[in-house]
Amino acid sequence: MPRSPSPSPPAGQPSTASDAGDAVKAIYVFANEKGGMTDINRGKINEIIAQLSQSSAYTAKLLKSDRRVDETVALLQQKLQRSDEGARRSAAAVVARQVAALEASRRADRCCAVIDFDMFYAAVEIRDRPELADKPVAVGGIGMISTANYVARRWGVRSAMPGFIGQALCRQLVFVRPDFAKYTAVAEVARAIFREYDPKMTAGSLDEAYLDLTDHLHKRARDGGGGGAGDDSGDCDGGGEGERRGTALTGEALGELAGEVVGEIRARVKEATRGLTTSAGIGPNFLLAKIAADVRKPDGQFCTGWSREAVLSFLAPLPVRKVPGVGRVMEKARARKDGAASAVCELLSRAAEARLLFTPGSADSLLRKSLGWEEGGREEAAGEALQKGISCERTFRPTGDEAELGETLRRLCASLAEEMAARQLRGRTVTLKMKTSDFDLLTRDSSAARPVGAAEELQARAVMPLTVAD
DNA sequence: TACATACAC
DNA sequence: GATGGTGTATGTA
């Protein structure tokens, strides 16, 4: 006899903060946002997570790092206070000039798409074991969950969450071991389809692809395959500065055709992968396409539009964290005065501040992103970019035994050398990374005169940062 | 060049 | 009781 009616997520109270878990909650953002989360149980979920995390070394280290970020942010504030009127004015002037230049160069003749499988690993596993379909499923192990299906997400189980927490949140959670060979094969099926639309397509990861559809769309429009020859009704295209490609396919017309094409691609992928769904974002560049891919997840697509108005009204209200490249730290550094997270519009309105605080490169990048103009995605892969590094790391039980550490190091070097040989790679700088039991990360590196690759060479250069005390 | 951080998936 | 692995980019000394 099975358990009773289908179990449902806990219906807790709205977060009754109070206790020692408060600081921890501030760190753990698992129960924020994202599809599938019901609002009702958020408090309960946070409580369980806080409970389990409270006394762990990992949390201690997170809190410590968070305090350091706070200090840095405080320093930035001081720096801002102390900046003189002249510096502020010239920063504002620079920003104004940049904004004008960027706006003038906005183009409406390019179309990019980012296509992303929905809960990829879990979807593949469920496809192959249909009996899992309505059960909460996590791909990963007790150490780490890499993907959770939407049923599991209703309990607060998410990717990048340690498995034991997932299990505490949802006792019926079914764990499935990841099978990367299988995922790679599935990804290859999808990529073959993507390449028909963009031969230069690039992959962000196994489950994510960047396609520049511009050429395909023009070809399709020329060959009259479909797509009403756009009625560009006034408010659409932003930069109507002539047709570089000979077809009047810009702005909204481009978007409309792209919508059909992307729908077609997604249908083909679903068919070819026996039912796997994808979500997609469409826009004038990869940055916007990437952000847009999140909007209609799962199994949907969204187009940002091309005009300045369309782009900005899409971006403005988004939390800065949605912008690729803006993570926990930058979010905090750009948070509002009252501590609340900023939206992209504030990023833009306070761009002059950023220019005073950060390196010119970072400030530029932030400004461009808040205008929705480039960066954050693939962008011109410009010929097969060569790989910059290769690594092999493993987490093991803490030990102070040098012989044991030495043996671990030997094994790591051996696997790495094997992988490098298989891919015919060598490198000049060997970096040894070591994580202590309290999650401090240390690196030591050593550069050789010429590239190395053999296990012995790697090992000889991997000098252990010993004397770790305690 | 050496080391640390931030970020993405 | 317990929080991964691979790769890229960037800041600072």
PDB file of all heavy atoms in Angstrom, chain A residues 351-365:
ATOM      1  N   ALA A 351      25.225  55.305 -12.920  1.00  0.00           N
ATOM      2  CA  ALA A 351      26.400  54.873 -13.688  1.00  0.00           C
ATOM      3  C   ALA A 351      27.623  55.740 -13.400  1.00  0.00           C
ATOM      4  O   ALA A 351      28.753  55.260 -13.433  1.00  0.00           O
ATOM      5  CB  ALA A 351      26.087  54.882 -15.183  1.00  0.00           C
ATOM      6  N   ALA A 352      27.385  57.015 -13.104  1.00  0.00           N
ATOM      7  CA  ALA A 352      28.522  57.900 -12.821  1.00  0.00           C
ATOM      8  C   ALA A 352      29.227  57.470 -11.532  1.00  0.00           C
ATOM      9  O   ALA A 352      30.458  57.485 -11.445  1.00  0.00           O
ATOM     10  CB  ALA A 352      28.050  59.341 -12.724  1.00  0.00           C
ATOM     11  N   GLU A 353      28.443  57.051 -10.550  1.00  0.00           N
ATOM     12  CA  GLU A 353      29.017  56.527  -9.308  1.00  0.00           C
ATOM     13  C   GLU A 353      29.946  55.366  -9.605  1.00  0.00           C
ATOM     14  O   GLU A 353      31.065  55.294  -9.096  1.00  0.00           O
ATOM     15  CB  GLU A 353      27.900  55.969  -8.415  1.00  0.00           C
ATOM     16  CG  GLU A 353      27.255  56.947  -7.502  1.00  0.00           C
ATOM     17  CD  GLU A 353      26.201  56.239  -6.655  1.00  0.00           C
ATOM     18  OE1 GLU A 353      26.292  55.013  -6.451  1.00  0.00           O
ATOM     19  OE2 GLU A 353      25.259  56.919  -6.217  1.00  0.00           O
ATOM     20  N   ALA A 354      29.428  54.455 -10.419  1.00  0.00           N
ATOM     21  CA  ALA A 354      30.212  53.267 -10.749  1.00  0.00           C
ATOM     22  C   ALA A 354      31.543  53.663 -11.378  1.00  0.00           C
ATOM     23  O   ALA A 354      32.571  53.052 -11.129  1.00  0.00           O
ATOM     24  CB  ALA A 354      29.423  52.363 -11.692  1.00  0.00           C
ATOM     25  N   ARG A 355      31.506  54.706 -12.161  1.00  0.00           N
ATOM     26  CA  ARG A 355      32.723  55.162 -12.829  1.00  0.00           C
ATOM     27  C   ARG A 355      33.744  55.690 -11.832  1.00  0.00           C
ATOM     28  O   ARG A 355      34.943  55.584 -12.022  1.00  0.00           O
ATOM     29  CB  ARG A 355      32.363  56.235 -13.864  1.00  0.00           C
ATOM     30  CG  ARG A 355      33.515  56.793 -14.648  1.00  0.00           C
ATOM     31  CD  ARG A 355      33.109  57.140 -16.047  1.00  0.00           C
ATOM     32  NE  ARG A 355      32.801  55.944 -16.811  1.00  0.00           N
ATOM     33  CZ  ARG A 355      33.728  55.184 -17.406  1.00  0.00           C
ATOM     34  NH1 ARG A 355      34.988  55.491 -17.329  1.00  0.00           N
ATOM     35  NH2 ARG A 355      33.366  54.115 -18.086  1.00  0.00           N
ATOM     36  N   LEU A 356      33.261  56.267 -10.753  1.00  0.00           N
ATOM     37  CA  LEU A 356      34.174  56.753  -9.715  1.00  0.00           C
ATOM     38  C   LEU A 356      34.742  55.593  -8.892  1.00  0.00           C
ATOM     39  O   LEU A 356      35.837  55.681  -8.361  1.00  0.00           O
ATOM     40  CB  LEU A 356      33.435  57.708  -8.773  1.00  0.00           C
ATOM     41  CG  LEU A 356      33.062  59.071  -9.349  1.00  0.00           C
ATOM     42  CD1 LEU A 356      32.141  59.805  -8.379  1.00  0.00           C
ATOM     43  CD2 LEU A 356      34.308  59.886  -9.632  1.00  0.00           C
ATOM     44  N   LEU A 357      33.948  54.517  -8.785  1.00  0.00           N
ATOM     45  CA  LEU A 357      34.313  53.449  -7.862  1.00  0.00           C
ATOM     46  C   LEU A 357      35.132  52.323  -8.460  1.00  0.00           C
ATOM     47  O   LEU A 357      35.997  51.761  -7.812  1.00  0.00           O
ATOM     48  CB  LEU A 357      33.036  52.853  -7.247  1.00  0.00           C
ATOM     49  CG  LEU A 357      32.223  53.802  -6.387  1.00  0.00           C
ATOM     50  CD1 LEU A 357      30.982  53.094  -5.861  1.00  0.00           C
ATOM     51  CD2 LEU A 357      33.069  54.321  -5.235  1.00  0.00           C
ATOM     52  N   PHE A 358      34.806  51.982  -9.707  1.00  0.00           N
ATOM     53  CA  PHE A 358      35.431  50.802 -10.285  1.00  0.00           C
ATOM     54  C   PHE A 358      36.467  51.173 -11.338  1.00  0.00           C
ATOM     55  O   PHE A 358      36.579  52.327 -11.733  1.00  0.00           O
ATOM     56  CB  PHE A 358      34.364  49.880 -10.888  1.00  0.00           C
ATOM     57  CG  PHE A 358      33.267  49.529  -9.930  1.00  0.00           C
ATOM     58  CD1 PHE A 358      31.936  49.702 -10.280  1.00  0.00           C
ATOM     59  CD2 PHE A 358      33.565  49.033  -8.667  1.00  0.00           C
ATOM     60  CE1 PHE A 358      30.918  49.389  -9.382  1.00  0.00           C
ATOM     61  CE2 PHE A 358      32.562  48.709  -7.775  1.00  0.00           C
ATOM     62  CZ  PHE A 358      31.237  48.886  -8.127  1.00  0.00           C
ATOM     63  N   THR A 359      37.170  50.157 -11.814  1.00  0.00           N
ATOM     64  CA  THR A 359      38.094  50.382 -12.922  1.00  0.00           C
ATOM     65  C   THR A 359      37.269  50.782 -14.138  1.00  0.00           C
ATOM     66  O   THR A 359      36.100  50.383 -14.255  1.00  0.00           O
ATOM     67  CB  THR A 359      38.882  49.115 -13.261  1.00  0.00           C
ATOM     68  OG1 THR A 359      37.954  48.111 -13.665  1.00  0.00           O
ATOM     69  CG2 THR A 359      39.683  48.624 -12.069  1.00  0.00           C
ATOM     70  N   PRO A 360      37.870  51.545 -15.057  1.00  0.00           N
ATOM     71  CA  PRO A 360      37.132  51.982 -16.236  1.00  0.00           C
ATOM     72  C   PRO A 360      36.487  50.813 -16.984  1.00  0.00           C
ATOM     73  O   PRO A 360      35.348  50.902 -17.434  1.00  0.00           O
ATOM     74  CB  PRO A 360      38.217  52.630 -17.096  1.00  0.00           C
ATOM     75  CG  PRO A 360      39.247  53.089 -16.122  1.00  0.00           C
ATOM     76  CD  PRO A 360      39.242  52.090 -15.010  1.00  0.00           C
ATOM     77  N   GLY A 361      37.226  49.718 -17.059  1.00  0.00           N
ATOM     78  CA  GLY A 361      36.696  48.545 -17.764  1.00  0.00           C
ATOM     79  C   GLY A 361      35.429  48.015 -17.123  1.00  0.00           C
ATOM     80  O   GLY A 361      34.436  47.741 -17.804  1.00  0.00           O
ATOM     81  N   SER A 362      35.434  47.882 -15.806  1.00  0.00           N
ATOM     82  CA  SER A 362      34.253  47.366 -15.118  1.00  0.00           C
ATOM     83  C   SER A 362      33.082  48.326 -15.265  1.00  0.00           C
ATOM     84  O   SER A 362      31.945  47.913 -15.467  1.00  0.00           O
ATOM     85  CB  SER A 362      34.529  47.178 -13.638  1.00  0.00           C
ATOM     86  OG  SER A 362      35.710  46.467 -13.442  1.00  0.00           O
ATOM     87  N   ALA A 363      33.389  49.620 -15.123  1.00  0.00           N
ATOM     88  CA  ALA A 363      32.329  50.617 -15.223  1.00  0.00           C
ATOM     89  C   ALA A 363      31.700  50.590 -16.619  1.00  0.00           C
ATOM     90  O   ALA A 363      30.477  50.604 -16.763  1.00  0.00           O
ATOM     91  CB  ALA A 363      32.870  52.001 -14.904  1.00  0.00           C
ATOM     92  N   ASP A 364      32.540  50.510 -17.646  1.00  0.00           N
ATOM     93  CA  ASP A 364      32.047  50.428 -19.020  1.00  0.00           C
ATOM     94  C   ASP A 364      31.123  49.241 -19.186  1.00  0.00           C
ATOM     95  O   ASP A 364      30.020  49.344 -19.718  1.00  0.00           O
ATOM     96  CB  ASP A 364      33.210  50.232 -20.005  1.00  0.00           C
ATOM     97  CG  ASP A 364      33.991  51.513 -20.202  1.00  0.00           C
ATOM     98  OD1 ASP A 364      33.570  52.546 -19.648  1.00  0.00           O
ATOM     99  OD2 ASP A 364      35.012  51.460 -20.903  1.00  0.00           O
ATOM    100  N   SER A 365      31.640  48.125 -18.729  1.00  0.00           N
ATOM    101  CA  SER A 365      30.902  46.889 -18.909  1.00  0.00           C
ATOM    102  C   SER A 365      29.540  46.960 -18.233  1.00  0.00           C
ATOM    103  O   SER A 365      28.520  46.560 -18.790  1.00  0.00           O
ATOM    104  CB  SER A 365      31.750  45.745 -18.364  1.00  0.00           C
ATOM    105  OG  SER A 365      30.946  44.650 -18.060  1.00  0.00           O
TER     106      SER A 365
END
